[in-house]
Coordinates of all heavy atoms in Angstrom, one line a residue:
M1 N -6.7 -11.6 -5.9 CA -6.7 -11.9 -4.5 C -7.8 -12.8 -4.1 O -7.7 -13.7 -3.3 CB -6.8 -10.6 -3.7 CG -5.5 -9.7 -3.9 SD -5.6 -8.2 -3.0 CE -4.9 -8.7 -1.4
E2 N -9.0 -12.5 -4.7 CA -10.1 -13.4 -4.4 C -9.9 -14.8 -4.8 O -10.3 -15.7 -4.1 CB -11.3 -12.8 -5.2 CG -12.6 -13.5 -4.8 CD -13.8 -12.9 -5.6 OE1 -14.0 -11.7 -5.4 OE2 -14.5 -13.6 -6.3
Q3 N -9.2 -15.1 -5.9 CA -8.9 -16.4 -6.3 C -8.1 -17.2 -5.3 O -8.1 -18.4 -5.3 CB -8.1 -16.4 -7.7 CG -8.9 -15.9 -8.8 CD -8.1 -15.8 -10.1 OE1 -6.9 -15.9 -10.0 NE2 -8.7 -15.5 -11.2
H4 N -7.3 -16.5 -4.5 CA -6.4 -17.1 -3.5 C -7.0 -17.0 -2.1 O -6.4 -17.4 -1.1 CB -5.1 -16.5 -3.5 CG -4.3 -16.6 -4.8 ND1 -3.8 -17.8 -5.2 CD2 -4.1 -15.7 -5.8 CE1 -3.2 -17.7 -6.4 NE2 -3.4 -16.4 -6.8
G5 N -8.3 -16.6 -2.0 CA -9.0 -16.5 -0.7 C -8.4 -15.4 0.2 O -8.4 -15.5 1.4
I6 N -7.9 -14.3 -0.4 CA -7.2 -13.2 0.4 C -8.2 -12.1 0.4 O -8.7 -11.6 -0.7 CB -5.9 -12.8 -0.3 CG1 -4.9 -14.0 -0.2 CG2 -5.3 -11.6 0.4 CD1 -3.7 -13.9 -1.1
D7 N -8.5 -11.5 1.5 CA -9.4 -10.4 1.7 C -8.6 -9.1 1.5 O -7.7 -8.8 2.3 CB -10.0 -10.4 3.0 CG -11.1 -9.3 3.2 OD1 -11.3 -8.5 2.3 OD2 -11.6 -9.2 4.3
P8 N -8.9 -8.3 0.4 CA -8.1 -7.1 0.2 C -8.3 -6.1 1.3 O -7.5 -5.2 1.5 CB -8.6 -6.6 -1.1 CG -9.9 -7.3 -1.4 CD -9.8 -8.6 -0.6
L9 N -9.5 -6.1 2.0 CA -9.7 -5.2 3.1 C -8.7 -5.3 4.2 O -8.4 -4.3 4.9 CB -11.1 -5.3 3.6 CG -12.2 -4.9 2.7 CD1 -13.6 -5.2 3.3 CD2 -12.1 -3.5 2.2
T10 N -8.1 -6.5 4.4 CA -7.1 -6.6 5.4 C -5.9 -5.7 5.1 O -5.4 -5.0 6.0 CB -6.5 -8.1 5.4 OG1 -7.6 -9.0 5.7 CG2 -5.4 -8.3 6.4
Y11 N -5.5 -5.6 3.9 CA -4.4 -4.8 3.5 C -4.7 -3.3 3.4 O -3.9 -2.4 3.7 CB -3.7 -5.3 2.2 CG -3.3 -6.7 2.4 CD1 -4.1 -7.8 2.0 CD2 -2.1 -7.0 3.1 CE1 -3.7 -9.1 2.2 CE2 -1.7 -8.3 3.3 CZ -2.5 -9.4 2.9 OH -2.1 -10.6 3.2
L12 N -6.0 -3.0 3.0 CA -6.4 -1.7 2.9 C -6.5 -1.1 4.3 O -6.1 0.1 4.6 CB -7.8 -1.6 2.2 CG -8.3 -0.2 2.0 CD1 -7.4 0.7 1.2 CD2 -9.7 -0.3 1.4
S13 N -7.0 -1.9 5.3 CA -7.1 -1.4 6.7 C -5.7 -1.2 7.2 O -5.5 -0.2 8.0 CB -7.8 -2.5 7.5 OG -9.1 -2.6 7.1
R14 N -4.7 -2.0 6.9 CA -3.4 -1.8 7.4 C -2.8 -0.5 6.9 O -2.2 0.3 7.6 CB -2.5 -3.0 7.0 CG -2.7 -4.3 7.8 CD -1.9 -5.4 7.3 NE -0.5 -5.2 7.5 CZ 0.5 -6.0 7.1 NH1 0.2 -7.1 6.5 NH2 1.8 -5.7 7.3
H15 N -3.0 -0.3 5.6 CA -2.6 0.9 4.9 C -3.2 2.2 5.6 O -2.5 3.1 5.9 CB -2.9 0.9 3.5 CG -2.6 2.1 2.7 ND1 -1.3 2.4 2.2 CD2 -3.4 3.1 2.2 CE1 -1.4 3.5 1.5 NE2 -2.6 3.9 1.5
A16 N -4.5 2.1 5.8 CA -5.2 3.3 6.4 C -4.8 3.5 7.8 O -4.9 4.7 8.3 CB -6.7 3.0 6.3
S17 N -4.3 2.5 8.5 CA -3.9 2.7 9.9 C -2.5 3.1 10.1 O -2.0 3.2 11.2 CB -4.2 1.4 10.7 OG -3.4 0.4 10.4
G18 N -1.7 3.2 9.0 CA -0.3 3.6 9.1 C 0.7 2.5 9.2 O 1.8 2.7 9.4
D19 N 0.2 1.2 8.9 CA 1.1 0.1 8.8 C 1.5 0.0 7.4 O 0.7 -0.5 6.5 CB 0.4 -1.2 9.3 CG 1.1 -2.5 9.1 OD1 2.3 -2.4 8.5 OD2 0.6 -3.5 9.4
W20 N 2.7 0.4 7.1 CA 3.2 0.5 5.7 C 3.7 -0.8 5.1 O 4.2 -0.9 4.0 CB 4.3 1.6 5.5 CG 3.9 2.9 6.2 CD1 4.7 3.6 7.1 CD2 2.7 3.6 6.0 NE1 4.1 4.7 7.5 CE2 2.9 4.8 6.9 CE3 1.6 3.5 5.3 CZ2 1.9 5.8 6.9 CZ3 0.6 4.5 5.4 CH2 0.7 5.6 6.2
G21 N 3.7 -1.9 5.9 CA 4.0 -3.2 5.5 C 5.5 -3.4 5.2 O 6.3 -3.1 6.1
D22 N 5.8 -4.0 4.1 CA 7.1 -4.5 3.7 C 7.9 -3.5 2.9 O 8.6 -3.8 2.0 CB 7.0 -5.8 3.0 CG 6.3 -6.8 3.8 OD1 6.8 -7.2 4.9 OD2 5.2 -7.3 3.4
L23 N 7.9 -2.2 3.4 CA 8.7 -1.2 2.8 C 10.0 -1.0 3.5 O 10.1 -1.4 4.7 CB 8.0 0.2 2.8 CG 6.8 0.3 1.9 CD1 6.2 1.7 2.1 CD2 7.1 0.1 0.4
G24 N 11.0 -0.4 2.9 CA 12.3 -0.1 3.6 C 12.1 1.1 4.5 O 11.0 1.8 4.4
K25 N 13.0 1.4 5.3 CA 13.0 2.4 6.3 C 12.7 3.8 5.7 O 11.9 4.6 6.2 CB 14.3 2.4 7.1 CG 14.2 3.3 8.3 CD 15.5 3.2 9.1 CE 15.4 4.0 10.4 NZ 16.6 3.8 11.3
Q26 N 13.4 4.1 4.6 CA 13.3 5.4 3.9 C 11.9 5.6 3.4 O 11.3 6.7 3.5 CB 14.3 5.5 2.8 CG 15.7 5.8 3.2 CD 15.8 7.1 3.9 OE1 16.0 7.2 5.1 NE2 15.7 8.2 3.2
D27 N 11.3 4.6 2.8 CA 9.9 4.7 2.3 C 8.9 4.8 3.4 O 7.9 5.6 3.2 CB 9.6 3.5 1.4 CG 10.4 3.4 0.1 OD1 10.6 4.5 -0.5 OD2 10.7 2.4 -0.4
K28 N 9.1 4.1 4.5 CA 8.2 4.3 5.6 C 8.3 5.7 6.2 O 7.2 6.3 6.5 CB 8.5 3.3 6.7 CG 8.2 1.9 6.3 CD 8.5 0.9 7.4 CE 8.1 -0.5 7.0 NZ 8.3 -1.5 8.1
L29 N 9.5 6.3 6.3 CA 9.6 7.6 6.7 C 9.0 8.6 5.8 O 8.3 9.6 6.2 CB 11.1 8.0 6.9 CG 11.5 9.4 7.3 CD1 10.8 9.7 8.7 CD2 13.0 9.6 7.4
A30 N 9.1 8.4 4.5 CA 8.5 9.2 3.5 C 6.9 9.2 3.6 O 6.3 10.2 3.5 CB 8.8 8.8 2.0
N31 N 6.4 8.1 4.0 CA 4.9 8.0 4.2 C 4.5 8.8 5.5 O 3.5 9.4 5.5 CB 4.5 6.5 4.4 CG 4.4 5.8 3.1 OD1 4.3 6.4 2.0 ND2 4.3 4.5 3.1
D32 N 5.4 8.7 6.5 CA 5.1 9.5 7.7 C 5.1 11.0 7.4 O 4.2 11.7 7.9 CB 6.1 9.1 8.8 CG 5.9 7.7 9.3 OD1 4.9 7.1 9.2 OD2 6.9 7.2 9.9
V33 N 6.0 11.4 6.6 CA 6.0 12.8 6.2 C 4.8 13.1 5.3 O 4.2 14.2 5.4 CB 7.4 13.1 5.4 CG1 7.4 14.5 4.8 CG2 8.6 12.9 6.4
A34 N 4.4 12.2 4.4 CA 3.3 12.4 3.5 C 2.0 12.7 4.3 O 1.1 13.4 3.8 CB 3.1 11.2 2.6
L35 N 1.9 12.1 5.5 CA 0.7 12.3 6.3 C 0.6 13.8 6.7 O -0.5 14.3 6.9 CB 0.7 11.5 7.6 CG 0.6 10.0 7.4 CD1 0.8 9.2 8.7 CD2 -0.7 9.6 6.7
V36 N 1.7 14.5 6.8 CA 1.8 15.9 7.2 C 1.7 16.8 6.0 O 1.0 17.8 5.9 CB 3.0 16.2 8.0 CG1 3.1 17.6 8.4 CG2 3.0 15.3 9.3
D37 N 2.5 16.5 4.9 CA 2.7 17.4 3.8 C 1.7 17.1 2.6 O 1.7 17.8 1.6 CB 4.1 17.5 3.3 CG 4.7 16.3 2.6 OD1 3.9 15.4 2.3 OD2 5.9 16.3 2.3
G38 N 1.0 16.1 2.7 CA 0.0 15.8 1.7 C 0.5 15.2 0.4 O -0.1 15.4 -0.6
T39 N 1.5 14.4 0.4 CA 2.0 13.8 -0.8 C 1.5 12.3 -0.8 O 0.8 11.9 0.1 CB 3.6 13.8 -0.8 OG1 4.1 13.3 0.4 CG2 4.1 15.2 -1.0
R40 N 1.8 11.6 -1.9 CA 1.4 10.3 -2.1 C 1.8 9.3 -1.0 O 3.0 9.4 -0.5 CB 1.8 9.8 -3.5 CG 1.3 8.4 -3.9 CD 1.9 8.0 -5.2 NE 3.2 7.6 -5.0 CZ 3.9 6.8 -5.9 NH1 3.3 6.4 -7.0 NH2 5.1 6.4 -5.6
I41 N 1.0 8.3 -0.7 CA 1.4 7.3 0.3 C 1.4 6.0 -0.4 O 0.5 5.6 -1.1 CB 0.3 7.3 1.5 CG1 0.3 8.7 2.2 CG2 0.7 6.2 2.5 CD1 -0.8 8.8 3.2
L42 N 2.4 5.2 -0.1 CA 2.6 3.9 -0.7 C 2.9 2.8 0.3 O 3.7 3.0 1.2 CB 3.8 4.0 -1.7 CG 4.3 2.6 -2.2 CD1 3.4 2.1 -3.3 CD2 5.7 2.8 -2.8
S43 N 2.2 1.7 0.3 CA 2.4 0.6 1.1 C 2.7 -0.6 0.3 O 2.2 -0.7 -0.9 CB 1.2 0.3 2.0 OG 1.0 1.4 2.9
K44 N 3.4 -1.6 0.8 CA 3.7 -2.8 0.1 C 3.5 -4.0 1.1 O 4.1 -4.0 2.2 CB 5.1 -2.8 -0.4 CG 5.5 -4.1 -1.1 CD 7.0 -4.1 -1.5 CE 7.5 -5.4 -2.0 NZ 9.0 -5.4 -2.2
Y45 N 2.8 -5.0 0.7 CA 2.5 -6.1 1.5 C 2.8 -7.4 0.7 O 2.4 -7.5 -0.4 CB 1.1 -6.2 2.0 CG 0.7 -4.9 2.6 CD1 -0.1 -3.9 1.9 CD2 1.1 -4.6 3.9 CE1 -0.4 -2.7 2.5 CE2 0.7 -3.4 4.5 CZ 0.0 -2.5 3.8 OH -0.4 -1.3 4.4
V46 N 3.6 -8.3 1.3 CA 3.8 -9.6 0.6 C 2.7 -10.5 1.1 O 2.5 -10.8 2.3 CB 5.2 -10.1 1.0 CG1 5.5 -11.5 0.4 CG2 6.3 -9.2 0.6
L47 N 2.0 -11.1 0.1 CA 0.9 -12.0 0.3 C 1.4 -13.4 0.7 O 2.6 -13.7 0.4 CB 0.0 -12.0 -0.9 CG -0.5 -10.7 -1.4 CD1 -1.3 -10.8 -2.7 CD2 -1.4 -10.0 -0.3
P48 N 0.5 -14.2 1.2 CA 0.9 -15.6 1.5 C 1.3 -16.3 0.3 O 2.1 -17.3 0.3 CB -0.4 -16.2 2.1 CG -1.1 -15.0 2.7 CD -0.8 -13.9 1.8
T49 N 0.9 -15.9 -0.9 CA 1.3 -16.5 -2.2 C 2.7 -16.2 -2.6 O 3.3 -16.7 -3.5 CB 0.4 -16.1 -3.3 OG1 0.5 -14.6 -3.5 CG2 -1.1 -16.4 -3.0
G50 N 3.3 -15.2 -1.9 CA 4.7 -14.7 -2.2 C 4.7 -13.5 -3.1 O 5.7 -12.8 -3.2
E51 N 3.6 -13.2 -3.7 CA 3.5 -12.0 -4.6 C 3.3 -10.8 -3.7 O 2.6 -10.9 -2.6 CB 2.4 -12.1 -5.6 CG 2.4 -11.0 -6.6 CD 1.5 -11.2 -7.8 OE1 0.7 -12.2 -7.8 OE2 1.7 -10.5 -8.8
A52 N 3.7 -9.6 -4.1 CA 3.5 -8.4 -3.4 C 2.3 -7.7 -4.0 O 2.1 -7.7 -5.2 CB 4.8 -7.5 -3.5
V53 N 1.6 -7.0 -3.1 CA 0.6 -6.1 -3.5 C 0.9 -4.7 -3.0 O 1.4 -4.5 -1.9 CB -0.8 -6.5 -3.0 CG1 -0.9 -6.5 -1.5 CG2 -1.9 -5.7 -3.6
Y54 N 0.7 -3.7 -3.8 CA 1.0 -2.3 -3.5 C -0.4 -1.6 -3.2 O -1.3 -1.8 -4.0 CB 1.7 -1.6 -4.6 CG 3.1 -2.0 -4.7 CD1 3.5 -3.0 -5.6 CD2 4.1 -1.4 -4.0 CE1 4.8 -3.5 -5.7 CE2 5.5 -1.8 -4.1 CZ 5.8 -2.8 -4.9 OH 7.1 -3.3 -5.1
V55 N -0.4 -0.7 -2.2 CA -1.6 0.1 -2.0 C -1.1 1.5 -2.1 O -0.1 1.9 -1.4 CB -2.2 -0.2 -0.6 CG1 -3.4 0.7 -0.4 CG2 -2.5 -1.6 -0.4
I56 N -1.7 2.3 -2.9 CA -1.2 3.7 -3.2 C -2.4 4.7 -3.0 O -3.4 4.5 -3.7 CB -0.7 3.8 -4.7 CG1 0.4 2.8 -4.9 CG2 -0.2 5.2 -4.9 CD1 0.8 2.6 -6.4
T57 N -2.2 5.6 -2.1 CA -3.2 6.7 -2.0 C -2.6 8.0 -2.6 O -1.4 8.4 -2.2 CB -3.5 6.9 -0.5 OG1 -4.1 5.7 0.0 CG2 -4.5 8.1 -0.3
E58 N -3.3 8.6 -3.5 CA -2.8 9.8 -4.2 C -2.7 11.0 -3.2 O -3.3 11.0 -2.2 CB -3.7 10.1 -5.4 CG -3.7 9.0 -6.4 CD -2.3 8.7 -7.0 OE1 -1.5 9.6 -7.1 OE2 -2.1 7.6 -7.4
W59 N -1.9 11.9 -3.7 CA -1.6 13.1 -2.8 C -2.8 13.8 -2.3 O -2.8 14.3 -1.2 CB -0.7 14.1 -3.6 CG -1.4 14.7 -4.8 CD1 -1.5 14.2 -6.1 CD2 -2.1 15.9 -4.8 NE1 -2.2 15.0 -6.9 CE2 -2.6 16.1 -6.1 CE3 -2.4 16.9 -3.8 CZ2 -3.4 17.2 -6.4 CZ3 -3.2 18.0 -4.2 CH2 -3.7 18.1 -5.5
D60 N -3.9 13.9 -3.2 CA -5.1 14.6 -2.8 C -6.1 13.8 -2.0 O -7.1 14.2 -1.7 CB -5.7 15.3 -4.0 CG -6.2 14.3 -5.0 OD1 -6.0 13.1 -4.8 OD2 -6.8 14.7 -6.0
R61 N -5.7 12.5 -1.8 CA -6.5 11.5 -1.0 C -7.8 11.2 -1.7 O -8.7 10.7 -1.1 CB -6.7 12.0 0.4 CG -5.5 12.4 1.2 CD -4.5 11.3 1.3 NE -3.4 11.6 2.2 CZ -2.2 12.0 1.8 NH1 -1.9 12.0 0.5 NH2 -1.2 12.3 2.6
S62 N -7.9 11.5 -3.0 CA -9.1 11.2 -3.8 C -9.3 9.8 -4.2 O -10.4 9.4 -4.4 CB -9.1 12.1 -5.1 OG -8.0 11.7 -5.9
I63 N -8.2 9.0 -4.2 CA -8.3 7.6 -4.7 C -7.2 6.8 -4.1 O -6.1 7.3 -3.9 CB -8.3 7.5 -6.2 CG1 -8.7 6.1 -6.7 CG2 -7.0 7.9 -6.8 CD1 -9.0 6.0 -8.1
T64 N -7.5 5.6 -3.8 CA -6.5 4.6 -3.3 C -6.6 3.4 -4.2 O -7.7 2.9 -4.5 CB -6.8 4.1 -1.9 OG1 -6.6 5.3 -1.0 CG2 -5.8 3.1 -1.4
T65 N -5.5 2.9 -4.7 CA -5.4 1.8 -5.7 C -4.6 0.7 -5.1 O -3.6 0.9 -4.4 CB -4.7 2.3 -7.0 OG1 -5.4 3.5 -7.5 CG2 -4.7 1.3 -8.0
M66 N -5.1 -0.5 -5.4 CA -4.3 -1.7 -5.0 C -3.9 -2.4 -6.3 O -4.7 -2.6 -7.2 CB -5.2 -2.7 -4.2 CG -5.6 -2.1 -2.9 SD -6.6 -3.3 -1.9 CE -5.3 -4.4 -1.4
L67 N -2.7 -2.8 -6.4 CA -2.2 -3.6 -7.6 C -1.1 -4.5 -7.2 O -0.3 -4.3 -6.2 CB -1.8 -2.6 -8.7 CG -0.8 -1.6 -8.4 CD1 0.1 -1.4 -9.6 CD2 -1.5 -0.3 -8.1
F68 N -1.0 -5.6 -8.0 CA 0.1 -6.5 -7.8 C 1.4 -6.0 -8.3 O 1.4 -5.1 -9.1 CB -0.2 -7.9 -8.5 CG -1.3 -8.6 -7.8 CD1 -2.6 -8.7 -8.4 CD2 -1.1 -9.3 -6.6 CE1 -3.6 -9.4 -7.8 CE2 -2.1 -10.0 -6.0 CZ -3.4 -10.1 -6.6
S69 N 2.5 -6.5 -7.8 CA 3.8 -6.1 -8.2 C 4.0 -6.2 -9.7 O 4.6 -5.4 -10.4 CB 4.9 -6.8 -7.5 OG 4.8 -8.2 -7.7
S70 N 3.4 -7.2 -10.3 CA 3.4 -7.4 -11.8 C 2.7 -6.3 -12.5 O 2.9 -6.1 -13.7 CB 2.9 -8.8 -12.2 OG 1.5 -8.9 -11.8
E71 N 1.9 -5.5 -11.8 CA 1.1 -4.5 -12.5 C 1.7 -3.1 -12.2 O 1.3 -2.1 -12.7 CB -0.3 -4.5 -12.0 CG -1.1 -5.8 -12.2 CD -2.4 -5.8 -11.5 OE1 -2.5 -5.5 -10.3 OE2 -3.4 -6.2 -12.2
Y72 N 2.7 -3.0 -11.3 CA 3.2 -1.8 -10.8 C 4.2 -1.2 -11.7 O 5.0 -1.8 -12.3 CB 3.8 -2.0 -9.4 CG 4.3 -0.7 -8.8 CD1 3.4 0.3 -8.4 CD2 5.7 -0.5 -8.5 CE1 3.8 1.4 -7.8 CE2 6.1 0.7 -7.9 CZ 5.2 1.7 -7.5 OH 5.6 2.8 -7.0

């Protein structure tokens, strides 16, 4: 992301605020439920480069990972 001048905090902030990005309706609903039942949360954002980045927060909220679609 740094090579393309993209600030990863932009997408991390969106994820943390409940903006799930470019997911389908079912996946967004699953994230809303995850906020209550404590399961994994997944967001997807399409970058200006056209590649997607995923932000995943584990069920126990111990770690959040960002990875490109090619790494997912």
Side-chain angles (χ1 to χ4, degrees):
M1 294 179 87
E2 187 177 304
Q3 292 174 353
H4 298 287
I6 299 167
D7 183 2
L9 291 179
T10 300
Y11 300 99
L12 184 60
S13 295
R14 287 177 63 184
H15 176 79
S17 70
D19 172 359
W20 313 129
D22 300 298
L23 292 177
K25 189 174 184 175
Q26 284 296 108
D27 289 326
K28 288 180 180 183
L29 180 59
N31 282 345
D32 293 339
V33 171
L35 293 174
V36 176
D37 72 7
T39 53
R40 184 180 79 157
I41 300 171
L42 169 73
S43 297
K44 174 185 175 187
Y45 308 100
V46 177
L47 303 174
T49 61
E51 187 167 13
V53 65
Y54 290 90
V55 183
I56 303 166
T57 299
E58 296 301 329
W59 67 272
D60 62 357
R61 308 303 187 254
S62 63
I63 190 166
T64 297
T65 305
M66 295 182 78
L67 55 145
F68 288 106
S69 55
S70 60
E71 302 170 313
Y72 184 67

